[in-house]
Amino acid sequence: MIIIRGKIVLLAMLILILSIALVSFQYGQTSTVRTMSTFFSPPEQPLPPNIDELLKKDYGNSKYFDTHEDIKISLEKIIKEKYFIEYSWVNGEESYFGIGLLIENVNKKKLKKEDFNSLWIKDNLGNTYTPLPYQTINDFPQDRPLGWKQLFYGKFSPMDPQAETMDIYFKYKEHQFKIPGIPL
């Protein structure tokens, strides 16, 4: 009888601990970071700023962009992919340099994919890079497009390793956008 009660108490404690862990996990990672950073900060150091305020600051806005009238072109990401392929029938280096651009109408009017004309990149050494055959413009988001946002993805040959910055030239409709001084 005592052994059965001990097993029941042990089982109840285990269920309680697992329930607390599940609730803590569901509470969120941001709260955990906030709690841990506050708890483990030495008393002589000031507390970190509120994480919610950090998330609001410039969230979703690239500092590399160009605008003309109601169209804004922003750099979303840079990809430097080192990729080597080796199979019994083929060997080769498939490394590439890629960029992702966000095209948006700031007045939230519908965009057309046909308005894209061309794109090229110039590095600070004077080299010009044009996209490889792989380039695409997708509606954003793909599952339920907004209509006024699009994502451009393009692959280029790897850039000169000595290059430090690049300028992106993007011709959309009849205007040539330029996003200068992007560090590599």
Side-chain angles (χ1 to χ4, degrees), residues 36-181:
M36 297 300 280
S37 63
T38 302
F39 182 76
F40 289 112
S41 294
E44 64 274 0
Q45 281 187 335
L47 292 176
N50 186 341
I51 290 177
D52 294 330
E53 292 301 317
L54 289 174
L55 290 175
K56 288 179 191 174
K57 182 180 178 184
D58 295 331
Y59 182 75
N61 292 320
S62 173
K63 62 182 183 177
Y64 303 105
F65 67 92
D66 189 12
T67 58
H68 176 70
E69 294 177 356
D70 57 350
I71 303 295
K72 180 180 178 183
I73 309 291
S74 307
L75 178 65
E76 182 195 24
K77 63 181 161 184
I78 293 176
I79 304 160
K80 294 180 184 178
E81 184 75 32
K82 297 279 186 186
Y83 180 68
F84 301 94
I85 187 169
E86 187 171 324
Y87 294 110
S88 59
W89 65 90
V90 67
N91 291 322
E93 185 196 342
E94 298 293 321
S95 299
Y96 68 90
F97 178 82
I99 61 169
L101 298 172
L102 181 64
I103 307 161
E104 61 184 308
N105 185 308
V106 294
N107 294 328
K108 299 184 180 179
K109 293 181 182 173
K110 188 167 178 66
L111 295 173
K112 297 178 194 168
K113 293 180 183 178
E114 297 81 32
D115 289 338
F116 165 73
N117 290 327
S118 60
L119 171 103
W120 65 96
I121 295 175
K122 284 188 179 179
D123 63 20
N124 63 311
L125 304 174
N127 300 320
T128 301
Y129 305 88
T130 55
L132 298 173
Y134 175 81
Q135 64 183 19
T136 181
I137 295 180
N138 298 319
D139 291 321
F140 179 82
Q142 287 187 358
D143 56 349
R144 291 187 182 183
L146 296 171
W148 53 273
K149 271 191 181 184
Q150 296 173 340
L151 295 173
F152 171 89
Y153 293 109
K155 289 184 179 181
F156 300 81
S157 297
M159 296 187 78
D160 188 325
Q162 304 298 321
E164 296 177 5
T165 62
M166 69 174 180
D167 300 336
I168 298 174
Y169 297 87
F170 191 88
K171 191 157 186 184
Y172 191 80
K173 292 188 178 179
E174 295 304 316
H175 183 73
Q176 180 177 306
F177 292 85
K178 180 182 179 184
I179 306 174

